[in-house]
Amino acid sequence: MTNEELSINLEAMQDGTSGVDALPRDKDQLLPALLAMHQALDWLPREAISYVANHVQVPLSEVYATTTAYSELRLEPPVPGQWHVCTGIACNLAGADKLLDQIPNTARIDCQFLCALAPVICDEDEQLFGRVSVEEFRDRVNS
Amino acid sequence: MKTNASAPLARLREQHPAPRLPRILVHCGTAGNAMGATRYLEELRIALGDRSDSVVEAASDGANWAAPAATVAQGTYMRRFERLDLHGIDDVIACFNGDCGDEANYAGTGGRGLTARLGRNDGTLGDVLAQGGYSALDRALTSTPEQLLDAIEDAGFTGRGGAHFPVATKWRLAAADTHRPRMLVVNAEEGEPGVFKDRHLLEGDPHRLIEGILIAHYAVGFERAYVYINGQARTARAIFENALADAAAAEIFSGAAWNQTFGLKIHVRSGAGGYVCGEESVILNSIEGERPVPRYKPPYATDRGLFGNPTIINNAETLCAITTVFEKPPPPTKLVSLSGDVPRPGLYEIPVDGATTWTSLLVMAGTNPLDVQAILIGGPSGVFVMAEQFEEVLEMRSLGAGGVVAFGSNTDLSQITRELASYNMRESCGECTPCREGTTRMVALLEHPAEHRKEIANLIEILTEGSLCQLGGMAGRPIQSALDQFPTAF
Ligand SMILES: Cc1cc2nc3c(=O)[nH]c(=O)nc-3n(C[C@H](O)[C@H](O)[C@H](O)COP(=O)(O)O)c2cc1C
Ligand code: SF4
Ligand code: FES
């Protein structure tokens, strides 16, 4: 990891901790605290989880059990530049496989709840795009 | 709907005047933005120059197939312009200037039901009040809580989250327990693949949900309400919180606008994904900071729910639907999230009036029903309805949460069945053995179903009867349905 990346992470970590510090130190704030961290960092490194555990006064093992149970909480950093293609039923019907095949560095994701705009893709910032063709997808990735 | 407003409601309308017409509502929101709607918002504003205030951002009106779209409102006349990406904005501007053409093209069915204001307001309180907002609450406040419960019971309202439990029955269970603080949990987790109605409601008419919450509060008397919103639905949450702030500032939420003290505290929470996280007892655990797994029942939530208190959990659509209780006759409608092989996929509010059939729904969506071999209702917990059954009359119960996917003649339904089984396996939370082991085993058996008919039947029974929650409990439904309807496909 370069110094620059490290410093961005530290800054994000600071955002995360101040988000957590703003919440009451009660157990029912566990998920809001995890989400505050996740929003700042895009994922939950070990330090972030320990910080949350300490803040809401819940044992670390339990915080891990909770964290791993929510599908949207990432325990690894997102892959840079990776786009997601919805492979829910409607998007599959609309040709999600073709998008996955033809665009590099794409991953599958479950239903994004825009099924009426299938096929749906999602960029790094979780912005959704609907009714996407291979050509449009390629343009977006390259722009 | 503006008639018979009480003095307090009339005062609210005075303080928050209706917007000026004509105007152009550009349908943005999550659905519109995914189709680039904001670009047309900008283009229209530039084109209208010093009249650019008349171009306002509105949410999706549910017609996702028409996105990107804009609606011109001229007095009571509204016309929606569809697929601006194909047709451009010239006709929109012409209509705004008075030349709308004579094509009958009104936005939606108009005026009634719980989607009446969807995408047809700019989010300001004045706009919502002018379109009938808070008039159901106003009316409710003139009756006693008991009379209100009777009205809800007489209208036959059932929960819209999937299980269709009678609303009045549930509310009465908590209303009776006056010694303990009562809790309301609004389930807007909406994690069932294929369903997108609650997001539309929250983005397109958040004041309707607030009104529904206040009506429930008046009937039952809650200490606190928690609105639990899907973690990915950030736009929905932001719009809802803005509306909440407006309702508070206007003294609607406190009741002061009606010289009352409602005394309800409200909290907004976000979820973090997983199909099972929409199950009611999982939400209770999630709010309390426990692991998001289902609870054993009994005790039921109405007895020992959130933080041990009597708790009502209702779907967001349920509470929105309650605001139509005084419309005459009360329209028994259900929101349907329609996707798949139809020309006009989107959100539909359909009458469940003993006349609507699957065919009517498909025709509404622009399809020749002959082009559809089957539909799936209820996603991974659902059933297939085959073409021969399309003439069946729709019932509330058969609609589940309202997720419907249509399959054209080329779809391999056995493949869809396998996808559903594998989805349930991935989403099983692992808390109970029948579902944790059973959903995995099911995926394996479905590789060669013909050789394992008996074992599959057996496994469906175990899942149905032995699972702790209805994720496992209903995981066998689509499989059973597939085996009944198209056994030769495997
Ligand atoms: C696996 C599973 C997922 C569910 N997901 C949702 C959901 O996303 N939204 C919802 O309102 N109800 C969902 N439910 C149903 C709730 O448990 C509960 O019945 C409902 O919120 C009650 O509200 P209602 O009576 O207003 O329908 C789910 C149930 C199960 C078993
Ligand atoms: S049925 Fe499945 S999802 Fe429900 S508690 Fe059991 S393992 Fe978890
Ligand atoms: S199936 Fe892709 S958004 Fe629902």
Side-chain angles (χ1 to χ4, degrees):
Chain A
M1 205 175 267
T2 67
N3 276 341
E4 197 184 355
E5 274 168 325
L6 206 61
S7 72
I8 290 170
N9 281 345
L10 282 176
E11 221 172 88
M13 185 72 186
Q14 246 161 27
D15 283 351
T17 55
S18 49
V20 171
D21 290 345
L23 299 168
R25 300 196 60 180
D26 298 324
K27 182 169 190 181
D28 76 338
Q29 297 300 319
L30 173 55
L31 181 55
L34 288 169
L35 286 170
M37 278 292 187
H38 202 270
Q39 186 166 353
L41 295 157
D42 274 341
W43 68 291
L44 294 171
R46 203 165 39 83
E47 299 81 347
I49 294 179
S50 306
Y51 193 90
V52 167
N54 182 46
H55 184 84
V56 298
Q57 310 174 72
V58 173
L60 190 59
S61 65
E62 237 192 284
V63 175
Y64 263 103
T66 303
T67 308
T68 51
Y70 289 109
S71 61
E72 281 160 29
L73 300 181
R74 275 188 293 259
L75 290 163
E76 277 161 25
V79 180
Q82 186 169 64
W83 287 61
H84 283 91
V85 176
C86 172
T87 50
I89 291 185
C91 289
N92 274 342
L93 291 177
D97 269 344
K98 208 157 64 183
L99 300 178
L100 281 162
D101 282 351
Q102 307 214 0
I103 311 291
N105 196 16
T106 46
R108 298 163 172 271
I109 194 166
D110 277 322
C111 179
Q112 295 296 294
F113 307 96
L114 271 181
C115 322
L117 295 174
V120 170
I121 59 169
C122 177
D123 74 8
E124 279 180 290
D125 302 321
E126 293 173 35
Q127 163 71 37
L128 298 168
F129 302 90
R131 264 189 244 133
V132 180
S133 63
V134 172
E135 295 70 41
E136 186 193 334
F137 196 175
R138 196 169 284 132
D139 289 348
R140 287 200 183 281
V141 170
N142 293 334
S143 70
Chain B
M1 255 191 290
K2 268 181 144 186
T3 48
N4 302 330
S6 68
L9 185 59
R11 198 161 48 237
L12 273 173
R13 284 178 182 157
E14 244 173 65
Q15 289 162 351
H16 305 273
R20 269 183 308 123
L21 297 179
R23 62 176 173 160
I24 302 172
L25 300 147
V26 182
H27 301 295
C28 296
T30 306
N33 290 346
M35 295 311 304
T38 43
R39 188 184 130 196
Y40 302 97
L41 186 73
E42 295 306 314
E43 275 186 22
L44 283 161
R45 281 191 172 145
I46 291 166
L48 288 194
D50 56 3
R51 294 177 300 163
S52 65
D53 296 358
S54 304
V55 184
V56 294
E57 185 173 339
S60 163
D61 62 354
N64 296 165
W65 55 273
T71 294
V72 176
Q74 294 266 19
T76 54
Y77 178 83
M78 291 205 207
R79 179 155 175 206
R80 182 173 62 211
F81 291 85
E82 295 150 7
R83 293 298 305 261
L84 300 179
D85 53 336
L86 303 179
H87 304 299
I89 58 170
D90 292 351
D91 292 344
V92 186
I93 296 166
C95 182
F96 175 77
N97 288 329
D99 175 15
C100 292
D102 45 20
E103 227 175 296
N105 178 359
Y106 296 87
T109 49
R112 287 177 51 116
L114 63 154
T115 53
R117 294 192 296 264
L118 202 69
R120 278 172 229 166
N121 71 86
D122 59 15
T124 61
L125 192 52
D127 200 355
V128 172
L129 287 166
Q131 296 184 47
Y134 295 103
S135 56
L137 174 64
D138 187 58
R139 173 92 183 264
L141 294 174
T142 63
S143 44
T144 66
E146 193 45 44
Q147 285 167 334
L148 179 58
L149 286 165
D150 285 343
I152 290 166
E153 183 167 349
D154 293 344
F157 278 102
T158 56
R160 305 298 204 240
H164 294 278
F165 191 83
V167 174
T169 310
K170 204 192 261 188
W171 289 12
R172 281 206 166 96
L173 284 171
D177 198 338
T178 51
H179 302 295
R180 296 184 290 163
R182 280 149 287 162
M183 307 279 163
L184 173 68
V185 173
V186 181
N187 188 346
E189 167 57 24
E190 194 162 62
E192 179 178 313
V195 180
F196 39 82
K197 65 197 175 74
D198 296 335
R199 285 166 174 75
H200 272 87
L201 290 171
L202 260 69
E203 288 187 15
D205 196 3
H207 284 285
R208 189 179 295 279
L209 179 56
I210 298 170
E211 187 176 4
I213 290 170
L214 291 173
I215 291 174
H217 176 57
Y218 183 69
V220 180
F222 296 107
E223 179 184 278
R224 270 182 266 166
Y226 285 82
V227 182
Y228 191 91
I229 303 177
N230 187 291
Q232 285 177 314
R234 291 199 192 86
T235 308
R237 177 172 174 159
I239 292 176
F240 181 74
E241 287 189 307
N242 272 339
L244 209 49
D246 288 348
E251 302 192 318
I252 291 173
F253 201 81
S254 64
W258 284 269
N259 297 314
Q260 302 222 10
T261 309
F262 292 157
L264 177 66
K265 287 196 237 41
I266 190 159
H267 305 268
V268 180
R269 288 292 188 90
S270 288
Y275 182 27
V276 78
C277 291
E279 198 272 344
E280 55 183 49
S281 66
V282 182
I283 294 187
L284 300 182
N285 277 339
S286 176
I287 294 174
E288 290 181 13
E290 301 289 340
R291 263 189 320 133
V293 291
R295 296 179 177 179
Y296 286 88
K297 294 164 211 141
Y300 291 99
T302 42
D303 178 27
R304 285 181 56 81
L306 197 57
F307 305 109
N309 296 304
T311 303
I312 299 288
I313 300 143
N314 271 129
N315 174 245
E317 181 190 347
T318 309
L319 288 156
C320 288
I322 289 298
T323 63
T324 66
V325 62
F326 302 115
E327 290 184 16
K328 288 222 173 327
T333 63
K334 174 80 190 83
L335 295 186
V336 168
S337 307
L338 179 63
S339 62
D341 294 327
V342 293
R344 296 177 176 188
L347 185 71
Y348 289 86
E349 181 171 7
I350 58 165
V352 185
D353 53 4
T356 310
T357 61
W358 299 113
T359 300
S360 0
L361 175 64
L362 290 171
V363 169
M364 253 187 264
T367 313
N368 178 348
L370 294 175
D371 294 338
V372 177
Q373 60 164 322
I375 54 181
L376 172 70
I377 301 139
S381 312
V383 293
F384 293 93
V385 172
M386 309 304 288
E388 319 67 278
Q389 300 154 312
F390 287 172
E391 285 302 320
E392 279 172 16
V393 166
L394 299 190
E395 284 168 37
M396 230 10 139
R397 282 203 76 86
S398 60
L399 283 162
V404 177
V405 191
F407 302 109
S409 46
N410 293 331
T411 310
D412 175 359
L413 295 180
S414 68
Q415 179 54 30
I416 301 288
T417 311
R418 289 192 187 91
E419 278 176 38
L420 296 171
S422 128
Y423 180 82
N424 281 322
M425 174 186 77
R426 290 197 311 267
E427 295 297 313
S428 168
C429 78
E431 187 72 2
C432 70
T433 315
C435 170
R436 183 183 59 233
E437 304 297 329
T439 50
T440 308
R441 182 81 191 127
M442 184 66 85
V443 169
L445 293 176
L446 286 176
E447 296 280 323
H448 304 286
E451 296 156 31
H452 301 289
R453 281 284 145 82
K454 228 170 141 191
E455 207 185 327
I456 292 176
N458 209 359
L459 190 51
I460 292 176
E461 218 173 291
I462 294 171
L463 278 167
T464 311
E465 282 165 24
S467 295
L468 168 56
C469 86
Q470 287 304 310
L471 189 151
M474 300 204 287
R477 269 184 102 212
I479 321 277
Q480 186 66 55
S481 168
L483 292 174
D484 291 345
Q485 314 266 26
F486 42 88
T488 53
F490 289 100

